[in-house]
Amino acid sequence: MNVSEKRERFCEKYIVDKEGQNFTLQGRDWVREKLWLPLDGYKYWPVDFKKLCDDCKAKSGELTPSHKPHLCTNEGCEGLEAAAQQVCVFCLPRRSGKTFNIAGWALSEIFQRNNRNISYISASEDQSADLVMENFSGPVLSNPTLDRASEVKGNKIIVGKTNSKFEYLSTSHKSVTGRGRSCVILDESRDISARVFAAIAPSLLESHGWECNRGHFRSKHAENADGDCPLCGDELVPWQSRLVVMSSAGLTEGSDKDWFKELVEFLENRMDKNFYLFRADTEDDLNPDINKDQLNAMKRVLGQLDSMKSLVSVEFENEFTSKGEDFVTKEEISRCIDKSLDYRKGGSDRPCVAFLDTSISKDKTSLVIACDDDDSMSPWEILRVEHIKVWEPQSFRDKIIDPEVI
């Protein structure tokens, strides 16, 4: 049984939500594949992207639970290293269950693994306390087995058997300094200042090395790499700190809290071997308990109110938006589209103009060709759409638009 399977069994056995329902990943495969796996695993990354065979190109960017590289035997191919995901960024819609599911990961971490030190920070100290009681301390106190095996004391959950602990910190750059943390979780990052983020990151820099999974041995010395535990003989595995940055999208206001938006958009356009990004919207069905009819009704009506447009985009569609920004909503576009029409095939004998809207890894790339309509009294008075072509990044290798195809 691998680490992810052990986590899932632990959560199913011991964790309940605030309504008393047992933890389950049924209908939530994304938690296992896109939340927990990057936190525990690695990303295949080219040793030299100019020297990759087709097989390795297909595997490049995939997540793997193993720290071992993919050693390719094809001539001229340098293979793939397994790069740890040191910073995991999750931009997910509200009510997607991100806090409860990261709590399942964190609790299984401190109860099942040795020498873990996890810190949790939310937008305000009061909010942190409420979220911790609801998602972290509450499930521990409500389960007799977990309650006996730990001590919930103030802002900490301490597990003596594993020498691990969880704590929540106030949202102040002065309170987050320190060393020795194995993981830091920033929740509702859209409301956390850049100074707090900059202060917490250095506390993780010295947390790395090699360890025995049974907890017998842990070392920071490089000579222990790829060695065996001196007590049980098990293979030593690498360990290192992780920084988790979570939030839904927010309004951008030109303040130092815009760093989360900037980070998400940077990673959407420039992949990094040690950073992981998972971004979703309400169309991705992350939470099967969401009432889609009610959600769509709110988006349909509130999205037409001038005072609510930007807020609907943020809170219901997980899109970063500036307050008062002029934009066309999805509902307004839908009212202008006749879905029964098709584009003209075989070209046009009228003067045409083409519009190419490019993207890289998230947005679609589109090509629109319009012609000067026959009914125009003067040139380009009336435009007629002749052709529309759309490419989705998800349909390309590595989920990145290939300019050669366009």
Side-chain angles (χ1 to χ4, degrees):
M1 186 181 296
N2 60 34
V3 172
S4 181
E5 291 171 336
K6 290 180 180 178
R7 290 197 193 285
E8 190 170 348
R9 299 298 177 267
F10 172 89
C11 292
E12 290 174 343
K13 185 175 182 179
Y14 297 112
I15 305 300
V16 296
D17 62 20
K18 62 180 180 180
E19 297 175 351
Q21 300 296 314
N22 291 331
F23 183 98
T24 179
L25 293 186
Q26 185 174 357
R28 296 176 172 87
D29 291 340
W30 68 271
V31 175
R32 187 185 304 108
E33 298 166 0
K34 297 185 177 181
L35 185 68
W36 289 0
L37 179 56
L39 290 173
D40 293 321
Y42 300 80
K43 181 195 297 177
Y44 282 135
W45 195 263
V47 174
D48 185 345
F49 73 92
K50 294 181 179 179
K51 298 179 180 179
L52 278 185
C53 65
D54 288 341
D55 291 340
C56 287
K57 286 181 179 180
K59 291 179 71 67
S60 182
E62 287 184 2
L63 294 173
T64 172
S66 174
H67 67 279
K68 297 182 178 181
H70 175 69
L71 302 177
C72 186
T73 58
N74 291 331
E75 184 178 356
C77 181
E78 295 290 334
L80 304 166
E81 65 173 301
Q85 302 307 279
Q86 296 165 344
V87 181
C88 295
V89 182
F90 303 103
C91 183
L92 306 177
R94 295 184 62 183
R95 311 307 305 168
S96 61
K98 58 183 178 296
T99 302
F100 181 66
N101 288 302
I102 202 68
W105 178 88
L107 291 175
S108 64
E109 185 81 346
I110 63 172
F111 278 94
Q112 291 186 310
R113 307 191 74 183
N114 296 287
N115 306 308
R116 270 25 185 195
N117 183 356
I118 300 176
S119 295
Y120 175 86
I121 304 170
S122 190
S124 70
E125 189 168 358
D126 289 341
Q127 185 180 25
S128 290
D130 292 340
L131 288 172
V132 166
M133 177 53 67
E134 182 178 306
N135 296 284
F136 297 85
S137 303
V140 172
L141 293 172
S142 65
N143 185 278
T145 301
L146 299 185
D147 191 22
R148 287 194 301 268
S150 64
E151 179 183 9
V152 179
K153 188 176 181 180
N155 65 333
K156 296 181 176 68
I157 304 173
I158 302 170
V159 184
K161 183 178 180 179
T162 60
N163 190 36
S164 297
K165 73 175 181 179
F166 167 91
E167 65 176 340
Y168 73 86
L169 304 174
S170 63
T171 315
S172 166
H173 70 276
K174 294 180 180 179
S175 69
V176 299
T177 57
R179 296 182 297 176
R181 297 185 175 100
S182 61
C183 179
V184 174
I185 301 170
L186 299 181
D187 202 355
E188 292 307 323
S189 299
R190 70 182 194 180
D191 294 320
I192 294 176
S193 71
R195 189 171 187 185
V196 171
F197 176 72
I200 195 69
S203 69
L204 301 167
L205 297 180
E206 296 180 8
S207 297
H208 62 95
W210 294 80
E211 68 178 358
C212 169
N213 267 332
R214 300 179 187 272
H216 294 147
F217 181 80
R218 172 181 269 208
S219 173
K220 292 184 178 181
H221 299 296
E223 59 264 25
N224 291 305
D226 300 318
D228 296 327
C229 174
L231 291 181
C232 68
D234 284 357
E235 180 185 14
L236 296 179
V237 295
W239 67 275
Q240 57 189 304
S241 58
R242 309 275 172 147
L243 176 57
V244 182
V245 182
M246 305 192 306
S247 186
S248 55
L251 286 172
T252 56
E253 300 175 337
S255 71
D256 68 344
K257 294 180 181 178
D258 291 347
W259 66 270
F260 178 68
K261 170 183 179 290
E262 294 171 2
L263 177 60
V264 170
E265 292 182 345
F266 178 89
L267 294 176
E268 283 180 328
N269 292 288
R270 296 178 62 182
M271 296 179 67
D272 185 275
K273 70 177 183 178
N274 297 119
F275 277 68
Y276 173 81
L277 171 67
F278 174 45
R279 183 177 182 182
D281 59 29
T282 53
E283 301 299 322
D284 291 307
D285 294 328
L286 301 187
N287 185 352
D289 295 331
I290 290 290
N291 185 330
K292 295 299 291 287
D293 291 336
Q294 184 178 18
L295 172 65
N296 291 330
M298 289 186 176
K299 290 167 57 177
R300 184 173 60 250
V301 175
L302 299 181
Q304 298 182 55
L305 307 181
D306 289 339
S307 61
M308 292 290 292
K309 285 181 180 180
S310 58
L311 297 176
V312 167
S313 182
V314 168
E315 304 297 348
F316 291 95
E317 297 172 353
N318 202 40
E319 293 290 342
F320 293 100
T321 307
S322 298
K323 194 171 184 179
E325 184 178 82
D326 291 328
F327 69 99
V328 182
T329 66
K330 291 180 180 179
E331 288 71 24
E332 290 171 330
I333 293 174
S334 296
R335 293 201 300 270
C336 299
I337 295 176
D338 184 347
K339 296 183 178 180
S340 66
L341 297 178
D342 195 3
Y343 59 82
R344 185 190 300 271
K345 298 178 176 62
S348 173
D349 56 1
R350 302 285 299 173
C352 295
V353 59
F355 303 88
L356 181 63
D357 185 7
T358 61
S359 65
I360 297 178
S361 62
K362 180 178 184 294
D363 297 328
K364 298 175 182 178
T365 288
S366 61
L367 172 66
V368 177
I369 301 176
C371 76
D372 185 10
D373 193 82
D374 294 336
D375 293 333
S376 293
M377 300 297 294
S378 58
W380 304 106
E381 179 184 26
I382 301 175
L383 293 182
R384 183 176 70 240
V385 176
E386 294 282 281
H387 182 88
I388 297 176
K389 177 70 174 178
V390 177
W391 296 269
E392 295 191 29
Q394 291 76 13
S395 64
F396 288 84
R397 188 181 63 211
D398 300 331
K399 299 183 179 180
I400 297 176
I401 292 288
D402 184 353
E404 295 298 326
V405 174
I406 309 304

